Amino acid sequence: WLLVPVLRQWRSRRPEVHLDLSEFTSSDAMVQLIDDGLTDIAVGPRPTHTDAHVEVFGKEEIVVVTSVSHPFAQLASVPMQALAGEPFVHYHPDNGLAISVDQLAARHEVVLSPVLRTRSPRTAAQLAAAGMGVTIVPASALAPRPAGVVRRFRPMVKRDVVAVMAAPSDSLARQFV
């Protein structure tokens, strides 16, 4: 969602530059490619650690998704504490969202009750919309017309969207960012 217009514009202005897009479920896995010298730029949520240059683009909202028949559908927003004891569609441990969601819950002293796990936030949203439980997803994971009900947290929860650069002095990489 973030890169589509950027890649389209970049390609029209710089057709001689080869772009190789890889998608990951973990920002730490993206940063590993930079550390290994295999890529120049990684774009996504802030990694847990890196020695590379990090530039913040902005923030992305984290939301709750559930079915239309769930009691959350009647709320304007959902307090984190309301997720305690709810059947929860969680993430596989190799997805960076698993750690983020667990840390968010821990900060609010909420114990989640996973009923199944997936590697994909879009799949998690679809499963929650189908009544398998509730889930937490970044807004970017939602389909253009998501099934189910999407609610903000109260208070609102956001995460950084960043670019991690291997060589911030590289003029081509800097232009891209």
Side-chain angles (χ1 to χ4, degrees):
W1 67 273
L2 176 65
L3 288 178
V4 170
V6 172
L7 294 173
R8 183 176 39 238
Q9 183 180 33
W10 182 261
R11 188 77 184 117
S12 71
R13 290 184 179 174
R14 297 260 188 196
E16 75 283 3
V17 177
H18 173 75
L19 298 173
D20 185 12
L21 179 66
S22 299
E23 297 177 273
F24 293 85
T25 58
S26 165
S27 56
D28 290 336
M30 292 187 309
V31 168
Q32 188 61 52
L33 288 178
I34 288 176
D35 292 345
D36 293 344
L38 299 173
T39 195
D40 298 314
I41 303 168
V43 177
R46 184 181 291 278
T48 56
H49 64 281
T50 184
D51 293 328
H53 176 78
V54 176
E55 190 161 322
V56 178
F57 285 145
K59 298 209 177 266
E60 171 181 40
E61 188 171 3
I62 305 299
V63 296
V64 177
V65 179
T66 191
S67 70
V68 296
S69 62
H70 192 279
F72 289 176
Q74 306 308 314
L75 301 176
S77 59
V78 178
M80 185 67 196
Q81 291 76 12
L83 273 66
E86 289 287 332
F88 190 77
V89 178
H90 210 326
Y91 297 97
H92 189 276
D94 68 3
N95 184 312
L97 279 170
I99 293 169
S100 297
V101 165
D102 288 342
Q103 289 173 342
L104 175 64
R107 282 195 304 272
H108 292 273
E109 299 179 353
V110 171
V111 176
L112 298 173
S113 302
V115 292
L116 59 93
R117 293 180 183 266
T118 179
R119 287 180 167 82
S120 165
R122 187 163 281 193
T123 300
Q126 292 169 342
L127 290 166
M132 297 295 299
V134 299
T135 197
I136 297 171
V137 300
S140 63
L142 297 172
R145 292 189 191 139
V149 174
V150 178
R151 293 291 181 256
R152 289 185 154 154
F153 274 108
R154 182 180 57 233
M156 189 181 297
V157 175
K158 293 187 176 189
R159 71 176 181 178
D160 288 342
V161 177
V162 302
V164 181
M165 300 173 61
S169 60
D170 179 285
S171 64
L172 196 59
R174 169 80 19 227
Q175 288 173 32
F176 183 86
V177 171

mmCIF file of all heavy atoms in Angstrom, residues 125-165:
data_model
loop_
_atom_site.group_PDB
_atom_site.id
_atom_site.type_symbol
_atom_site.label_atom_id
_atom_site.label_comp_id
_atom_site.label_asym_id
_atom_site.label_seq_id
_atom_site.Cartn_x
_atom_site.Cartn_y
_atom_site.Cartn_z
ATOM 1 N N ALA A 125 -7.254 -11.103 9.727
ATOM 2 C CA ALA A 125 -8.440 -10.244 9.638
ATOM 3 C C ALA A 125 -9.620 -11.008 9.043
ATOM 4 O O ALA A 125 -10.754 -10.883 9.527
ATOM 5 C CB ALA A 125 -8.130 -9.001 8.805
ATOM 6 N N GLN A 126 -9.380 -11.814 8.023
ATOM 7 C CA GLN A 126 -10.456 -12.588 7.403
ATOM 8 C C GLN A 126 -11.011 -13.629 8.361
ATOM 9 O O GLN A 126 -12.227 -13.840 8.430
ATOM 10 C CB GLN A 126 -9.957 -13.244 6.114
ATOM 11 C CG GLN A 126 -9.652 -12.252 5.013
ATOM 12 C CD GLN A 126 -8.918 -12.873 3.847
ATOM 13 O OE1 GLN A 126 -8.332 -13.952 3.950
ATOM 14 N NE2 GLN A 126 -8.920 -12.177 2.720
ATOM 15 N N LEU A 127 -10.130 -14.286 9.114
ATOM 16 C CA LEU A 127 -10.579 -15.294 10.087
ATOM 17 C C LEU A 127 -11.403 -14.648 11.204
ATOM 18 O O LEU A 127 -12.426 -15.190 11.626
ATOM 19 C CB LEU A 127 -9.379 -16.044 10.666
ATOM 20 C CG LEU A 127 -8.659 -16.978 9.690
ATOM 21 C CD1 LEU A 127 -7.311 -17.396 10.261
ATOM 22 C CD2 LEU A 127 -9.528 -18.190 9.377
ATOM 23 N N ALA A 128 -10.955 -13.492 11.674
ATOM 24 C CA ALA A 128 -11.707 -12.784 12.721
ATOM 25 C C ALA A 128 -13.066 -12.345 12.183
ATOM 26 O O ALA A 128 -14.085 -12.490 12.865
ATOM 27 C CB ALA A 128 -10.906 -11.593 13.232
ATOM 28 N N ALA A 129 -13.096 -11.833 10.977
ATOM 29 C CA ALA A 129 -14.358 -11.399 10.363
ATOM 30 C C ALA A 129 -15.318 -12.570 10.203
ATOM 31 O O ALA A 129 -16.537 -12.399 10.286
ATOM 32 C CB ALA A 129 -14.089 -10.748 9.010
ATOM 33 N N ALA A 130 -14.776 -13.770 10.015
ATOM 34 C CA ALA A 130 -15.599 -14.971 9.858
ATOM 35 C C ALA A 130 -16.066 -15.551 11.190
ATOM 36 O O ALA A 130 -16.764 -16.557 11.215
ATOM 37 C CB ALA A 130 -14.825 -16.031 9.076
ATOM 38 N N GLY A 131 -15.679 -14.909 12.299
ATOM 39 C CA GLY A 131 -16.164 -15.348 13.601
ATOM 40 C C GLY A 131 -15.252 -16.304 14.343
ATOM 41 O O GLY A 131 -15.661 -16.894 15.342
ATOM 42 N N MET A 132 -14.004 -16.449 13.906
ATOM 43 C CA MET A 132 -13.069 -17.356 14.577
ATOM 44 C C MET A 132 -12.508 -16.764 15.866
ATOM 45 O O MET A 132 -11.876 -17.476 16.638
ATOM 46 C CB MET A 132 -11.913 -17.710 13.640
ATOM 47 C CG MET A 132 -12.342 -18.470 12.400
ATOM 48 S SD MET A 132 -13.021 -20.093 12.755
ATOM 49 C CE MET A 132 -11.639 -20.889 13.527
ATOM 50 N N GLY A 133 -12.719 -15.483 16.080
ATOM 51 C CA GLY A 133 -12.179 -14.793 17.246
ATOM 52 C C GLY A 133 -11.965 -13.337 16.882
ATOM 53 O O GLY A 133 -12.453 -12.873 15.850
ATOM 54 N N VAL A 134 -11.239 -12.642 17.701
ATOM 55 C CA VAL A 134 -10.873 -11.257 17.395
ATOM 56 C C VAL A 134 -9.394 -11.261 17.046
ATOM 57 O O VAL A 134 -8.671 -12.195 17.384
ATOM 58 C CB VAL A 134 -11.166 -10.300 18.570
ATOM 59 C CG1 VAL A 134 -12.651 -10.301 18.910
ATOM 60 C CG2 VAL A 134 -10.343 -10.657 19.790
ATOM 61 N N THR A 135 -8.946 -10.199 16.376
ATOM 62 C CA THR A 135 -7.524 -10.093 16.082
ATOM 63 C C THR A 135 -7.097 -8.639 16.075
ATOM 64 O O THR A 135 -7.938 -7.734 16.095
ATOM 65 C CB THR A 135 -7.160 -10.776 14.744
ATOM 66 O OG1 THR A 135 -5.747 -10.985 14.694
ATOM 67 C CG2 THR A 135 -7.615 -9.959 13.540
ATOM 68 N N ILE A 136 -5.796 -8.448 16.051
ATOM 69 C CA ILE A 136 -5.178 -7.129 15.974
ATOM 70 C C ILE A 136 -4.357 -7.111 14.694
ATOM 71 O O ILE A 136 -3.546 -8.019 14.473
ATOM 72 C CB ILE A 136 -4.267 -6.890 17.196
ATOM 73 C CG1 ILE A 136 -5.078 -6.900 18.489
ATOM 74 C CG2 ILE A 136 -3.499 -5.590 17.038
ATOM 75 C CD1 ILE A 136 -4.223 -6.891 19.754
ATOM 76 N N VAL A 137 -4.568 -6.086 13.858
ATOM 77 C CA VAL A 137 -3.829 -5.983 12.604
ATOM 78 C C VAL A 137 -3.411 -4.543 12.351
ATOM 79 O O VAL A 137 -4.083 -3.617 12.799
ATOM 80 C CB VAL A 137 -4.645 -6.484 11.382
ATOM 81 C CG1 VAL A 137 -5.043 -7.933 11.535
ATOM 82 C CG2 VAL A 137 -5.854 -5.618 11.136
ATOM 83 N N PRO A 138 -2.323 -4.350 11.595
ATOM 84 C CA PRO A 138 -2.023 -2.998 11.115
ATOM 85 C C PRO A 138 -3.051 -2.639 10.041
ATOM 86 O O PRO A 138 -3.497 -3.498 9.280
ATOM 87 C CB PRO A 138 -0.617 -3.119 10.540
ATOM 88 C CG PRO A 138 -0.403 -4.568 10.300
ATOM 89 C CD PRO A 138 -1.299 -5.316 11.215
ATOM 90 N N ALA A 139 -3.420 -1.379 9.973
ATOM 91 C CA ALA A 139 -4.427 -0.945 8.997
ATOM 92 C C ALA A 139 -4.036 -1.316 7.576
ATOM 93 O O ALA A 139 -4.898 -1.587 6.741
ATOM 94 C CB ALA A 139 -4.663 0.557 9.127
ATOM 95 N N SER A 140 -2.744 -1.359 7.279
ATOM 96 C CA SER A 140 -2.292 -1.695 5.927
ATOM 97 C C SER A 140 -2.629 -3.123 5.527
ATOM 98 O O SER A 140 -2.629 -3.454 4.351
ATOM 99 C CB SER A 140 -0.785 -1.477 5.800
ATOM 100 O OG SER A 140 -0.090 -2.346 6.670
ATOM 101 N N ALA A 141 -2.937 -3.980 6.500
ATOM 102 C CA ALA A 141 -3.258 -5.376 6.204
ATOM 103 C C ALA A 141 -4.709 -5.568 5.786
ATOM 104 O O ALA A 141 -5.085 -6.641 5.328
ATOM 105 C CB ALA A 141 -2.961 -6.252 7.420
ATOM 106 N N LEU A 142 -5.511 -4.536 5.950
ATOM 107 C CA LEU A 142 -6.932 -4.671 5.640
ATOM 108 C C LEU A 142 -7.179 -4.613 4.145
ATOM 109 O O LEU A 142 -6.555 -3.828 3.427
ATOM 110 C CB LEU A 142 -7.726 -3.568 6.338
ATOM 111 C CG LEU A 142 -7.681 -3.594 7.864
ATOM 112 C CD1 LEU A 142 -8.346 -2.347 8.422
ATOM 113 C CD2 LEU A 142 -8.347 -4.854 8.402
ATOM 114 N N ALA A 143 -8.102 -5.429 3.686
ATOM 115 C CA ALA A 143 -8.533 -5.375 2.293
ATOM 116 C C ALA A 143 -9.246 -4.042 2.078
ATOM 117 O O ALA A 143 -9.730 -3.426 3.036
ATOM 118 C CB ALA A 143 -9.471 -6.537 1.992
ATOM 119 N N PRO A 144 -9.347 -3.570 0.825
ATOM 120 C CA PRO A 144 -10.023 -2.288 0.577
ATOM 121 C C PRO A 144 -11.437 -2.222 1.165
ATOM 122 O O PRO A 144 -11.849 -1.198 1.672
ATOM 123 C CB PRO A 144 -10.058 -2.187 -0.951
ATOM 124 C CG PRO A 144 -8.892 -3.006 -1.390
ATOM 125 C CD PRO A 144 -8.780 -4.129 -0.391
ATOM 126 N N ARG A 145 -12.156 -3.309 1.101
ATOM 127 C CA ARG A 145 -13.480 -3.395 1.734
ATOM 128 C C ARG A 145 -13.468 -4.593 2.670
ATOM 129 O O ARG A 145 -13.933 -5.676 2.321
ATOM 130 C CB ARG A 145 -14.564 -3.570 0.673
ATOM 131 C CG ARG A 145 -14.738 -2.362 -0.179
ATOM 132 C CD ARG A 145 -15.963 -2.516 -1.054
ATOM 133 N NE ARG A 145 -15.949 -1.464 -2.038
ATOM 134 C CZ ARG A 145 -16.279 -1.618 -3.294
ATOM 135 N NH1 ARG A 145 -16.670 -2.798 -3.727
ATOM 136 N NH2 ARG A 145 -16.243 -0.605 -4.124
ATOM 137 N N PRO A 146 -12.922 -4.404 3.860
ATOM 138 C CA PRO A 146 -12.752 -5.564 4.743
ATOM 139 C C PRO A 146 -14.082 -6.162 5.179
ATOM 140 O O PRO A 146 -15.062 -5.449 5.399
ATOM 141 C CB PRO A 146 -11.997 -4.987 5.945
ATOM 142 C CG PRO A 146 -12.254 -3.526 5.907
ATOM 143 C CD PRO A 146 -12.485 -3.167 4.474
ATOM 144 N N ALA A 147 -14.087 -7.481 5.238
ATOM 145 C CA ALA A 147 -15.238 -8.169 5.816
ATOM 146 C C ALA A 147 -15.165 -7.959 7.327
ATOM 147 O O ALA A 147 -14.117 -7.654 7.877
ATOM 148 C CB ALA A 147 -15.172 -9.655 5.479
ATOM 149 N N GLY A 148 -16.268 -8.112 7.987
ATOM 150 C CA GLY A 148 -16.258 -7.966 9.431
ATOM 151 C C GLY A 148 -16.274 -6.514 9.860
ATOM 152 O O GLY A 148 -16.624 -5.623 9.094
ATOM 153 N N VAL A 149 -15.870 -6.308 11.096
ATOM 154 C CA VAL A 149 -15.916 -4.985 11.716
ATOM 155 C C VAL A 149 -14.501 -4.591 12.131
ATOM 156 O O VAL A 149 -13.783 -5.389 12.732
ATOM 157 C CB VAL A 149 -16.847 -5.008 12.948
ATOM 158 C CG1 VAL A 149 -16.810 -3.690 13.689
ATOM 159 C CG2 VAL A 149 -18.263 -5.356 12.531
ATOM 160 N N VAL A 150 -14.126 -3.374 11.810
ATOM 161 C CA VAL A 150 -12.816 -2.834 12.178
ATOM 162 C C VAL A 150 -13.052 -1.726 13.191
ATOM 163 O O VAL A 150 -13.842 -0.813 12.952
ATOM 164 C CB VAL A 150 -12.083 -2.266 10.939
ATOM 165 C CG1 VAL A 150 -10.749 -1.653 11.344
ATOM 166 C CG2 VAL A 150 -11.899 -3.352 9.879
ATOM 167 N N ARG A 151 -12.363 -1.818 14.326
ATOM 168 C CA ARG A 151 -12.499 -0.813 15.370
ATOM 169 C C ARG A 151 -11.126 -0.315 15.805
ATOM 170 O O ARG A 151 -10.169 -1.075 15.876
ATOM 171 C CB ARG A 151 -13.235 -1.384 16.598
ATOM 172 C CG ARG A 151 -14.686 -1.721 16.337
ATOM 173 C CD ARG A 151 -15.498 -0.454 16.117
ATOM 174 N NE ARG A 151 -16.893 -0.718 15.881
ATOM 175 C CZ ARG A 151 -17.488 -0.650 14.686
ATOM 176 N NH1 ARG A 151 -16.787 -0.312 13.623
ATOM 177 N NH2 ARG A 151 -18.771 -0.902 14.557
ATOM 178 N N ARG A 152 -11.070 0.967 16.120
ATOM 179 C CA ARG A 152 -9.863 1.550 16.691
ATOM 180 C C ARG A 152 -9.733 1.109 18.138
ATOM 181 O O ARG A 152 -10.719 0.786 18.789
ATOM 182 C CB ARG A 152 -9.941 3.067 16.666
ATOM 183 C CG ARG A 152 -9.812 3.629 15.302
ATOM 184 C CD ARG A 152 -9.778 5.137 15.355
ATOM 185 N NE ARG A 152 -9.062 5.592 14.179
ATOM 186 C CZ ARG A 152 -9.230 6.762 13.621
ATOM 187 N NH1 ARG A 152 -10.069 7.639 14.151
ATOM 188 N NH2 ARG A 152 -8.558 7.087 12.555
ATOM 189 N N PHE A 153 -8.504 1.146 18.610
ATOM 190 C CA PHE A 153 -8.272 0.973 20.040
ATOM 191 C C PHE A 153 -8.554 2.281 20.751
ATOM 192 O O PHE A 153 -8.468 3.361 20.169
ATOM 193 C CB PHE A 153 -6.816 0.573 20.311
ATOM 194 C CG PHE A 153 -6.564 -0.898 20.221
ATOM 195 C CD1 PHE A 153 -5.852 -1.416 19.154
ATOM 196 C CD2 PHE A 153 -7.037 -1.758 21.191
ATOM 197 C CE1 PHE A 153 -5.602 -2.766 19.065
ATOM 198 C CE2 PHE A 153 -6.807 -3.115 21.111
ATOM 199 C CZ PHE A 153 -6.081 -3.627 20.043
ATOM 200 N N ARG A 154 -8.895 2.160 22.027
ATOM 201 C CA ARG A 154 -9.041 3.328 22.884
ATOM 202 C C ARG A 154 -8.102 3.127 24.065
ATOM 203 O O ARG A 154 -8.331 2.208 24.867
ATOM 204 C CB ARG A 154 -10.489 3.446 23.371
ATOM 205 C CG ARG A 154 -10.735 4.661 24.233
ATOM 206 C CD ARG A 154 -12.174 4.772 24.704
ATOM 207 N NE ARG A 154 -12.591 3.580 25.424
ATOM 208 C CZ ARG A 154 -13.689 2.871 25.133
ATOM 209 N NH1 ARG A 154 -14.491 3.211 24.177
ATOM 210 N NH2 ARG A 154 -13.998 1.795 25.843
ATOM 211 N N PRO A 155 -7.030 3.890 24.170
ATOM 212 C CA PRO A 155 -6.571 4.942 23.262
ATOM 213 C C PRO A 155 -5.997 4.330 21.981
ATOM 214 O O PRO A 155 -5.621 3.153 21.944
ATOM 215 C CB PRO A 155 -5.491 5.666 24.062
ATOM 216 C CG PRO A 155 -4.976 4.645 25.021
ATOM 217 C CD PRO A 155 -6.146 3.753 25.343
ATOM 218 N N MET A 156 -5.896 5.170 20.940
ATOM 219 C CA MET A 156 -5.417 4.732 19.638
ATOM 220 C C MET A 156 -4.004 4.149 19.751
ATOM 221 O O MET A 156 -3.189 4.631 20.534
ATOM 222 C CB MET A 156 -5.418 5.915 18.667
ATOM 223 C CG MET A 156 -5.149 5.536 17.231
ATOM 224 S SD MET A 156 -5.122 6.968 16.111
ATOM 225 C CE MET A 156 -6.790 7.560 16.265
ATOM 226 N N VAL A 157 -3.732 3.107 18.964
ATOM 227 C CA VAL A 157 -2.420 2.467 18.940
ATOM 228 C C VAL A 157 -1.840 2.642 17.534
ATOM 229 O O VAL A 157 -2.526 2.375 16.543
ATOM 230 C CB VAL A 157 -2.522 0.966 19.284
ATOM 231 C CG1 VAL A 157 -1.175 0.283 19.139
ATOM 232 C CG2 VAL A 157 -3.088 0.767 20.683
ATOM 233 N N LYS A 158 -0.582 3.095 17.465
ATOM 234 C CA LYS A 158 0.113 3.264 16.182
ATOM 235 C C LYS A 158 1.509 2.680 16.291
ATOM 236 O O LYS A 158 2.040 2.514 17.379
ATOM 237 C CB LYS A 158 0.199 4.747 15.807
ATOM 238 C CG LYS A 158 -1.142 5.368 15.501
ATOM 239 C CD LYS A 158 -0.974 6.766 14.970
ATOM 240 C CE LYS A 158 -2.331 7.332 14.567
ATOM 241 N NZ LYS A 158 -2.180 8.582 13.850
ATOM 242 N N ARG A 159 2.071 2.378 15.105
ATOM 243 C CA ARG A 159 3.464 1.925 15.059
ATOM 244 C C ARG A 159 4.195 2.703 13.971
ATOM 245 O O ARG A 159 3.590 3.183 13.017
ATOM 246 C CB ARG A 159 3.561 0.422 14.805
ATOM 247 C CG ARG A 159 3.187 0.008 13.400
ATOM 248 C CD ARG A 159 3.398 -1.473 13.198
ATOM 249 N NE ARG A 159 3.052 -1.866 11.831
ATOM 250 C CZ ARG A 159 3.181 -3.078 11.371
ATOM 251 N NH1 ARG A 159 3.641 -4.036 12.145
ATOM 252 N NH2 ARG A 159 2.859 -3.363 10.124
ATOM 253 N N ASP A 160 5.515 2.811 14.139
ATOM 254 C CA ASP A 160 6.336 3.506 13.153
ATOM 255 C C ASP A 160 6.422 2.707 11.859
ATOM 256 O O ASP A 160 6.505 1.472 11.879
ATOM 257 C CB ASP A 160 7.763 3.715 13.669
ATOM 258 C CG ASP A 160 7.858 4.760 14.752
ATOM 259 O OD1 ASP A 160 6.923 5.571 14.894
ATOM 260 O OD2 ASP A 160 8.888 4.763 15.467
ATOM 261 N N VAL A 161 6.443 3.419 10.734
ATOM 262 C CA VAL A 161 6.803 2.856 9.437
ATOM 263 C C VAL A 161 8.120 3.521 9.065
ATOM 264 O O VAL A 161 8.212 4.755 9.048
ATOM 265 C CB VAL A 161 5.727 3.136 8.370
ATOM 266 C CG1 VAL A 161 6.164 2.599 7.016
ATOM 267 C CG2 VAL A 161 4.385 2.535 8.787
ATOM 268 N N VAL A 162 9.151 2.700 8.817
ATOM 269 C CA VAL A 162 10.498 3.229 8.633
ATOM 270 C C VAL A 162 11.150 2.702 7.358
ATOM 271 O O VAL A 162 10.727 1.690 6.804
ATOM 272 C CB VAL A 162 11.406 2.876 9.838
ATOM 273 C CG1 VAL A 162 10.826 3.407 11.138
ATOM 274 C CG2 VAL A 162 11.653 1.378 9.925
ATOM 275 N N ALA A 163 12.189 3.403 6.944
ATOM 276 C CA ALA A 163 13.119 2.910 5.933
ATOM 277 C C ALA A 163 14.434 2.657 6.650
ATOM 278 O O ALA A 163 14.903 3.502 7.412
ATOM 279 C CB ALA A 163 13.322 3.920 4.817
ATOM 280 N N VAL A 164 14.998 1.478 6.436
ATOM 281 C CA VAL A 164 16.304 1.142 6.985
ATOM 282 C C VAL A 164 17.251 1.108 5.790
ATOM 283 O O VAL A 164 16.989 0.421 4.807
ATOM 284 C CB VAL A 164 16.282 -0.222 7.709
ATOM 285 C CG1 VAL A 164 17.651 -0.539 8.289
ATOM 286 C CG2 VAL A 164 15.206 -0.234 8.790
ATOM 287 N N MET A 165 18.328 1.879 5.883
ATOM 288 C CA MET A 165 19.246 2.036 4.758
ATOM 289 C C MET A 165 20.631 1.507 5.103
ATOM 290 O O MET A 165 21.183 1.854 6.146
ATOM 291 C CB MET A 165 19.339 3.503 4.362
ATOM 292 C CG MET A 165 18.013 4.113 3.948
ATOM 293 S SD MET A 165 18.115 5.891 3.676
ATOM 294 C CE MET A 165 19.309 5.963 2.351
#
